[in-house]
């Protein structure tokens, strides 16, 4: 047996120590591997550094170093008076802050705006944290109850009736219009080539209208009784509560399923009663603040939240309509979606401001803010429809087929099986379209509403604060607000996306 | 009892039911009738209300107003226009202004977008951070905000014409806009243009010949020297023979303003800058996603075939990336065109501004004017999506899918 170390292929001496490998982590490693590793890269690094040097440093100098922090009017921010090159003029922001936040909302009533913001935050924060329970209740409160409360808080005013009066009024309005349509057709039939056909249709519509009139007679009678009583709001409230509760009870299966079915309805009505009592809606409510006085961040938030809340049902309906097999409904949905997606938002706002009032009865005036909201809801609805359609397409057919196999109707299949999964799929897309909606709300300033950007532009016109740096200061401040909102929401959307795709991550 | 096969049931009724009511059958038909009735009712309400309201305001419906005199001036026109021209001409002027700002915006947006995308993909850490900051900053601020920023803050802060910023003494930037030399046609113009056109056509022919040679015989023909000669050399030669095709009229400072040259109005500058920088951020993301979507193996496969890095990029990676890039890119071009309607906020005379704005307030013909304006944008986007459908169909066909 020979010594293995004597073999020619075994190394005799110990290998010398190699130098430690070049550090590839940390700041030094980063510099070595991604900044200065080749001549081109060094050049690019210098280029990038120069770019930053000529943008970041002047911005910081403008915003902080050369800024004026205190003052009463423009003289504080004039270079001649201050004695140096003046950067940002922060006293201007200080003076205009109320206008940028609330517009011309009366000073004594601004607590209402603050309270609304607070309410929104209290409802929104738990909804955004995935770990917290009761998402259904939370979203119900935020998307349904909150807008109503916010409306009465921000605008003020009270109510003169409740469910019964409103339903009766609405039905009567529709019925009157149907009957007048029938009459118009009958009149037209006398002078038309297809007179007999029009006459038949007109007669039919008139008969239908009269039938509806008889059908809703109990409701209108009830309304008249309630309105002539001493407590119309509370009387109406009680009657509505009883009717709705009984209806819910009956639809849920009546005595078979027991009395528990009554609980949600009763709790809801108690909640509504508390709100009515607290805000004294039955006695006229808070003083009315005309929407023309609203402005600033308030309008931006109102328009974007109202836009997203109202566009969701429109979007869901259109997405389902576009996937429906019923020809007319599918055609209508496609035409609607393609139309609104094909035109710019500005023209939609022009449409809502100038054209919509022409389409409404002459005695019917719509508030300027509401008109813009209608335009935005119609427009965003089409975009939401495409988002939701993507989600619907991602649900395997088997889900719907399994539901039909269990004997669920189309409505139950859609609302219990398909839609919840589809909506969960597209949460990131919905959030992204909320961001673009939030940015697009700035366009309402073109149709004479003063949102954040509109208020900013209006504040430039104030001669008390015209200095060379006013515009830059104003844009810097508003830009930060917009950026915080949009960037924050987009980061949240990324977080949700990661969470939703947690199962497919490797 | 017979064993003959039963005749298939008559399918006509079933098929009819399927066509008329979809999967829901006769229920679907009933739903459609109810839906049509509601639509008809809404249409009736709209028409009758609009008629009553127009009668109240003494406005005659119809497009007759297009032949009336507009009576207002437009500060940028591509075709000759005076205040005594008709509203119909205002429509054309506005449409052309919209198109010109969109095309210029699309050009710059594409260039900036590709540069930013390359920055973001660059191995250089600092440069990719700079690209990221640009994209995040621009995407999270409203376009109107940026437009007003450029117009009310940056351009308004520019010096007056006397202290204007000079670019090599031939064009000047001031708060009155950008003044550039304007070309003036000379006698040699026609020959120059003809030769240039011929050169371009010949280059394309050469390119298709060389491609055929490459694909059929594997023969590589270097064509760029010939193309250079055809497109640049030949027109220069004609210049020597026929004289200069055009000369430039340079702007001169006379008193408080510039004389000569052509002035690009500040609204146009602001709108172009805002639209192109804003859209560029989105284009950069699209391009980046497209290039990242091509598998790394493609690059490696190209290298293992002995292709150079540039050739691999040009022949292997970019064609595959383009398939992913082109549809959303077209979408962004469309968005830019639609966003150019924000011009109304700063008074650039685009379609919305002069037609849906000034003309609407002068005539009160809200329905006709807004319908025409929406129709134009709708037409542009429908045509674009039709082209994109054809493109997608061709791509699918070429992939054999």
């Amino acid at each position: 047996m020979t010594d293995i170390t004597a073999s020619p292929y075994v190394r005799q001496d110990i290998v010398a120590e190699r130098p430690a490998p070049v550090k590839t982590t940390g700041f030094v490693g980063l510099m070595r591997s991604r900044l200065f590793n080749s001549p081109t890269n060094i050049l690019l690094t210098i280029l990038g550094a120069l770019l930053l040097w000529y943008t970041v440093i002047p911005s910081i100098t403008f915003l902080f170093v050369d800024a004026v922090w205190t003052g009463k009017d423009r003289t504080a921010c004039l270079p001649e008076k201050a004695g140096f090159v003046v950067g940002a003029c922060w006293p201007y922001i200080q003076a205009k802050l109320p206008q940028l936040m609330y517009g011309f909302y009366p000073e004594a009533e601004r607590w209402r705006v603050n309270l609304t913001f607070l309410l929104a935050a209290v409802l929104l924060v738990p909804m955004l944290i995935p770990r917290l329970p009761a998402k259904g209740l939370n979203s119900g409160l935020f998307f349904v109850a909150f807008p109503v409360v916010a409306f009465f808080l921000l605008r003020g005013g009270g109510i003169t009736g409740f469910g019964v009066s409103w339903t009766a009024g609405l039905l009567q309005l529709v019925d009157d219009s149907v009957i007048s349509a029938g009459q118009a057709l009958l009149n037209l039939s006398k002078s038309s080539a297809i007179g007999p056909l029009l006459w038949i249709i007109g007669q039919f519509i008139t008969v239908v209208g009269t039938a509806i009139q008889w059908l809703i007679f109990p409701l209108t009678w009830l309304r008249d009784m309630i309105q002539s009583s001493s407590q119309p709001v509370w009387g109406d409230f009680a009657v509505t509560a009883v009717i709705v509760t009984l209806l819910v009870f009956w639809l849920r299966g009546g005595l078979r399923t027991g009395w528990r079915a009554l609980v949600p309805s009763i709790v809801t009505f108690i909640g509504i009663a508390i709100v009515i009592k607290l805000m004294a809606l039955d006695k006229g409510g808070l003083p009315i603040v005309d929407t023309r006085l609203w402005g600033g961040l308030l309008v931006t938030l109102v328009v974007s939240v109202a836009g997203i809340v109202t566009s969701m049902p429109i979007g869901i309906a259109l997405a389902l309509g576009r996937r429906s097999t019923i020809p007319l409904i599918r055609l209508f949905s496609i035409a609607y979606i393609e139309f609104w997606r094909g035109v710019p938002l500005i023209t939609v706002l022009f449409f809502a401001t100038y054209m919509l009032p022409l389409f409404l009865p002459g005695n019917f005036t719509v508030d300027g803010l509401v008109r813009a909201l209608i335009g935005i809801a119609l427009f965003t609805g089409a975009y939401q429809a495409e988002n939701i359609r993507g989600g619907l397409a991602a649900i395997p057919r088997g889900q719907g087929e399994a539901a039909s196999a269990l004997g669920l109707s189309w409505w139950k299949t859609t609302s219990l099986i398909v839609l919840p999964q589809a909506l969960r799929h597209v949460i990131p897309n919905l959030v992204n379209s909320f961001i673009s909606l939030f940015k697009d709300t700035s366009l309402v300033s073109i149709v004479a509403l003063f949102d954040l950007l509109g208020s900013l532009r209006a504040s430039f016109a104030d001669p008390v604060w015209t200095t060379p740096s006013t515009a830059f200061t104003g844009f810097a401040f508003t830009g930060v607000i917009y950026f915080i909102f949009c960037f924050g929401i987009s980061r949240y959307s990324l977080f949700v996306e990661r969470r939703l795709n947690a199962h497919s991550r490797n | 009892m017979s064993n003959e096969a039963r005749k298939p049931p008559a399918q006509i009724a079933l098929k009819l039911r399927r066509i008329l009511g979809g999967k829901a059958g006769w229920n679907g038909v009933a739903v459609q009738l109810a839906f049509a009735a509601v639509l008809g009712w809404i249409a009736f309400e709209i028409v009758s209300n609009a008629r009553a309201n127009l009668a109240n305001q003494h406005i005659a419906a119809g497009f007759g107003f297009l032949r009336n005199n507009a009576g207002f001036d437009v500060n940028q026109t591509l075709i000759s226009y005076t205040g005594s021209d008709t509203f119909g001409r205002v429509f054309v002027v506005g449409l052309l202004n919209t198109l010109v700002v969109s095309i210029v915006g699309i050009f710059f947006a594409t260039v900036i977008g590709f540069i930013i995308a390359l920055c973001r993909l660059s191995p250089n850490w600092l440069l990719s951070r700079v690209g990221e900051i640009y994209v995040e900053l621009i995407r999270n601020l409203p376009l109107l905000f940026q437009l007003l920023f450029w117009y009310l803050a940056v351009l308004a802060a520019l010096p007056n014409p006397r202290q204007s910023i000079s670019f090599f003494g031939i064009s000047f930037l001031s708060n009155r806009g950008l003044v550039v030399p304007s070309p003036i046609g000379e006698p040699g113009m026609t020959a120059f243009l003809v030769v240039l056109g011929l050169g371009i056509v010949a280059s394309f022919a050469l390119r298709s010949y060389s491609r055929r040679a490459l694909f059929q015989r594997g023969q590589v023909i270097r064509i760029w020297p010939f193309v250079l000669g055809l497109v640049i050399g030949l027109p220069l030669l004609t210049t020597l023979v026929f004289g200069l095709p055009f000369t430039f009229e340079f702007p001169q400072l006379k008193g408080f303003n510039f004389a000569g040259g052509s002035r690009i109005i500040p609204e146009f500058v602001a709108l172009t800058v805002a639209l192109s920088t804003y859209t560029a951020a989105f284009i950069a993301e699209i391009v980046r996603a497209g290039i990242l979507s091509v598998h790394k193996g493609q690059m490696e496969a190209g290298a293992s075939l002995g292709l150079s890095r540039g050739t691999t990029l040009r022949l292997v990676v970019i064609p595959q990336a383009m398939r992913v890039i082109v549809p959303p890119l077209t979408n962004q071009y469309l968005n830019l065109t639609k966003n150019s309607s924000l011009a109304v906020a700063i008074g650039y005379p685009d379609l919305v501004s002069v037609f849906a704005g000034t003309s609407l307030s002068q005539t009160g013909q809200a329905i006709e004017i807004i319908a025409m304006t929406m129709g134009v944008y709708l037409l542009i986007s429908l045509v674009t999506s039709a082209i994109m459908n054809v493109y997608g169909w061709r791509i699918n066909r070429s992939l054999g899918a």
Side-chain angles (χ1 to χ4, degrees):
Chain A
M1 183 178 167
T2 52
D3 189 3
I4 197 160
T5 52
S7 320
Y9 50 81
V10 174
R11 190 191 278 277
Q12 297 293 318
D13 44 356
I14 287 170
V15 179
E17 266 180 19
R18 271 188 294 181
V22 174
K23 206 174 163 194
T24 54
T25 55
F27 183 65
V28 178
L30 181 89
M31 295 229 304
R32 276 214 182 103
S33 62
R34 305 214 32 205
L35 288 177
F36 299 107
N37 54 344
S38 72
T40 352
N41 237 350
I42 292 173
L43 216 68
L44 289 177
T45 306
I46 292 170
L47 187 74
L50 279 179
L51 263 177
L52 283 180
W53 183 263
Y54 281 108
T55 49
V56 174
I57 302 292
S59 312
I60 290 175
T61 325
F62 177 82
L63 290 179
F64 303 110
V65 180
D66 286 345
V68 173
W69 297 91
T70 51
K72 282 267 168 275
D73 57 1
R74 66 192 286 263
T75 48
C77 298
L78 287 177
E80 300 91 61
K81 292 281 161 57
F84 56 92
V85 184
V86 172
C89 180
W90 294 118
Y92 151 73
I93 294 293
Q94 221 168 6
K96 293 291 174 188
L97 193 62
Q99 199 187 336
L100 292 179
M101 292 294 124
Y102 310 104
F104 296 104
Y105 211 88
E107 212 169 335
E109 307 288 338
R110 279 182 194 153
W111 62 271
R112 284 155 59 175
V113 181
N114 294 335
L115 184 64
T116 316
F117 286 166
L118 186 75
L119 262 179
V122 165
L123 286 173
L124 194 61
V125 169
M127 204 160 80
L128 296 184
I129 301 173
R131 259 182 310 161
L132 295 181
K135 285 280 179 284
L137 177 69
N138 200 333
S139 54
L141 282 177
F142 184 75
F143 286 112
V144 182
F146 171 68
V148 178
V149 173
F151 171 79
F152 284 111
L153 251 181
L154 291 175
R155 185 180 163 275
I159 48 177
T160 54
F162 202 69
V164 173
S165 307
W166 294 340
T167 323
L170 197 69
L171 284 176
Q172 209 163 29
L173 211 67
V174 171
D175 192 41
D176 287 349
S177 157
V178 167
I179 291 178
S180 74
Q183 290 296 336
L185 277 181
L186 284 182
N187 286 338
L188 201 66
S189 70
K190 287 171 194 148
S191 61
S192 167
I194 48 164
L197 183 67
L198 285 183
W199 187 83
I200 291 171
I201 298 174
Q203 278 296 348
F204 176 71
I205 291 175
T206 320
V207 167
V208 168
T210 323
I212 295 175
Q213 206 168 18
W214 283 105
L215 276 177
I216 63 171
F217 176 71
L219 209 59
T220 43
W221 176 79
L222 200 59
R223 194 245 330 242
D224 295 339
M225 290 299 291
I226 290 168
Q227 287 298 333
S228 58
S229 67
S230 60
Q231 281 279 5
V233 174
W234 290 109
D236 197 341
F237 179 79
V239 175
T240 314
V242 169
I243 293 178
V244 171
T245 311
L246 285 180
L247 261 179
V248 167
F249 184 59
W250 176 61
L251 286 176
R252 284 281 191 87
L255 288 169
R256 272 187 298 130
T257 42
W259 299 100
R260 282 183 66 95
L262 285 177
V263 175
S265 165
I266 291 174
V267 170
T268 312
F269 276 104
I270 290 175
I272 296 174
I274 292 173
V275 169
I276 293 180
K277 192 74 206 164
L278 268 182
M279 295 172 65
L281 292 181
D282 53 331
K283 297 191 190 69
L286 297 160
I288 290 182
V289 180
D290 196 282
T291 54
R292 270 171 296 182
L293 298 177
W294 300 17
L297 190 62
L298 169 67
V299 164
T300 298
L301 289 176
V302 163
V303 172
S304 48
V305 170
I308 202 78
V309 169
T310 46
S311 68
M312 274 308 278
I314 300 178
I316 291 176
L318 285 172
L320 291 174
R322 193 164 183 174
R323 285 172 62 83
S324 155
T325 53
I326 302 173
L328 187 62
I329 290 185
R330 196 179 66 231
L331 264 179
F332 174 81
S333 306
I334 292 175
Y336 182 98
I337 292 172
E338 293 306 326
F339 176 76
W340 291 114
R341 276 161 50 93
V343 295
L345 181 55
I346 287 271
T347 57
V348 177
L349 289 174
F350 270 73
F351 161 82
T353 329
Y354 298 113
M355 220 158 138
L356 211 57
L358 290 177
F359 292 164
L360 295 171
N363 52 356
F364 210 82
T365 52
V366 186
D367 185 276
L369 184 65
V370 176
R371 271 186 263 168
L373 278 181
I374 293 174
I376 285 179
L378 295 176
F379 179 80
T380 318
Y383 281 85
Q384 296 290 41
E386 285 300 275
N387 281 337
I388 294 167
R389 191 167 72 104
L392 289 174
I395 306 299
R397 284 175 67 100
Q399 295 287 326
E401 288 167 355
S404 326
L406 289 174
L408 298 187
S409 66
W410 182 86
W411 288 105
K412 281 190 173 166
T413 310
T414 307
S415 62
L416 298 176
I417 312 288
V418 178
L419 258 188
Q421 299 187 59
L423 287 181
R424 188 170 311 180
H425 255 287
V426 293
I427 287 177
N429 299 14
L430 296 179
V431 176
N432 285 343
S433 57
F434 179 71
I435 297 178
S436 54
L437 175 63
F438 185 83
K439 290 192 291 176
D440 283 346
T441 54
S442 56
L443 269 64
V444 298
S445 62
I446 293 174
V447 288
L449 290 171
F450 289 95
D451 71 322
L452 183 54
L453 199 57
S455 303
L456 178 74
R457 205 176 174 178
S459 76
F460 289 157
D462 186 354
V464 178
W465 287 104
T466 32
T467 68
S469 60
T470 303
F472 284 100
T473 315
F475 278 115
F477 181 73
T478 357
V480 168
I481 295 181
Y482 274 118
F483 187 81
I484 288 174
F485 270 96
C486 296
F487 189 71
I489 306 170
S490 77
R491 288 296 114 157
Y492 179 74
S493 148
L494 280 183
F495 159 74
V496 173
E497 202 172 343
R498 262 206 303 281
R499 212 183 127 81
L500 287 176
N501 294 335
H503 60 277
S504 62
R505 208 169 11 181
N506 44 8
Chain B
M1 195 172 165
S2 67
N3 283 340
E4 283 164 33
R6 268 188 299 170
K7 266 204 280 184
Q11 300 256 333
I12 300 164
L14 272 176
K15 275 186 181 155
L16 188 72
R17 204 175 80 162
R18 185 74 170 76
I19 291 168
L20 287 179
K23 275 185 192 160
W26 297 122
N27 286 347
V29 178
V31 169
Q32 283 181 82
L33 282 179
F35 188 66
V38 171
L39 281 187
W41 172 65
I42 292 175
F44 165 78
E45 274 291 303
I46 287 178
V47 171
S48 64
N49 286 333
R51 265 197 188 158
N53 286 328
L54 288 180
N56 277 342
Q57 297 173 15
H58 305 293
I59 297 172
F63 291 93
F65 75 96
L66 286 175
R67 283 190 294 277
N68 295 352
N69 278 353
F72 59 88
D73 272 327
V74 176
N75 61 353
Q76 180 193 310
T77 56
L78 291 184
I79 53 174
S80 70
Y81 168 85
T82 57
S84 57
D85 276 319
T86 60
F87 283 111
R89 199 156 175 94
V90 171
F91 174 77
V92 178
V93 166
L95 181 58
L96 286 176
N97 280 342
T98 292
L99 291 180
V100 85
V101 82
S102 307
I103 291 167
V104 175
I106 283 172
F107 172 75
F108 284 113
T110 314
V111 172
I112 303 173
F114 272 80
I115 292 174
I116 301 289
L118 289 182
C119 280
R120 286 208 68 181
L121 288 168
S122 144
N124 187 297
W125 180 83
L126 192 66
L127 215 55
S128 74
R129 273 316 94 112
V130 170
E132 197 178 333
I133 291 171
Y134 175 87
V135 169
E136 288 297 343
L137 193 69
I138 295 282
R139 284 205 310 180
N140 285 312
L141 290 174
L143 175 58
L144 186 60
F145 172 90
Q146 297 180 34
L147 180 59
L148 292 183
F149 172 75
W150 289 111
Y151 186 63
L152 294 179
V154 177
L155 287 187
L158 286 175
N160 59 22
R162 307 197 63 164
Q163 278 116 32
S164 58
I165 304 165
S166 152
F167 296 105
F168 313 113
I170 51 171
S171 55
F172 301 90
L173 188 65
S174 68
N175 57 10
R176 300 273 184 88
L178 181 68
V179 193
V180 292
S182 58
I184 293 172
E186 297 275 325
M189 187 78 169
T190 330
F192 178 80
L193 284 182
V194 167
V195 171
L196 187 68
L198 282 178
I200 290 172
V201 170
S203 315
F204 273 109
L206 209 61
R207 176 167 174 271
S208 86
Y209 167 74
S210 80
R211 280 180 81 88
R212 203 172 305 137
L214 178 67
F215 291 145
Q216 287 177 355
R217 304 194 297 276
Q219 182 189 2
V220 182
I221 304 174
R222 179 172 299 178
I223 61 164
W224 67 262
F226 300 104
V227 170
L228 222 60
L230 279 172
V231 178
I232 297 175
L234 264 186
L236 282 181
L237 272 180
T238 23
T239 318
L240 287 181
V241 178
F242 291 96
L244 283 176
F246 47 78
T247 50
F248 284 107
E249 187 195 31
F250 291 99
Q252 300 286 331
L253 189 62
K254 291 255 175 71
F256 290 104
N257 211 341
F258 286 98
S262 35
R263 192 170 72 97
I264 300 173
I265 56 175
E267 288 82 14
F268 182 88
V269 177
L271 193 60
T272 313
V273 170
L275 282 176
S276 49
T277 49
Y278 182 78
T279 314
F282 291 86
I283 290 180
E285 285 301 275
I286 289 168
V287 172
R288 191 176 77 105
I291 291 178
L292 287 181
S293 77
V294 179
H295 198 270
K296 203 172 70 177
Q298 298 288 326
M299 197 78 200
E300 292 164 358
S304 74
L305 286 175
L307 299 179
S308 74
R309 196 184 141 81
T311 322
T312 320
L313 268 178
R314 198 161 51 83
L315 296 179
V316 179
V317 177
I318 289 183
Q320 297 185 67
M322 279 324 256
R323 220 174 52 219
V324 182
I325 291 174
V326 167
L329 191 65
T330 337
N331 216 354
Q332 286 305 325
Y333 290 164
L334 206 57
N335 277 348
L336 189 145
T337 312
K338 287 195 279 177
N339 283 335
S340 71
S341 58
L342 289 184
V344 67
I346 58 169
Y348 172 75
D350 82 321
L351 181 64
V352 173
S353 176
V354 293
F355 197 60
T358 321
S359 302
L360 174 61
S361 60
Q362 290 213 350
T363 59
Q365 306 273 2
I367 297 179
E368 296 86 355
I369 285 181
I370 291 174
M372 277 172 79
T373 315
M374 283 181 151
V376 166
Y377 286 105
L378 198 60
L379 192 71
I380 295 175
S381 67
L382 287 183
V383 167
T384 316
S385 66
I387 295 171
M388 281 328 290
N389 278 347
V390 173
Y391 174 82
W393 174 76
R394 280 190 52 176
I395 288 281
N396 276 340
R397 199 187 52 172
S398 71
L399 287 178

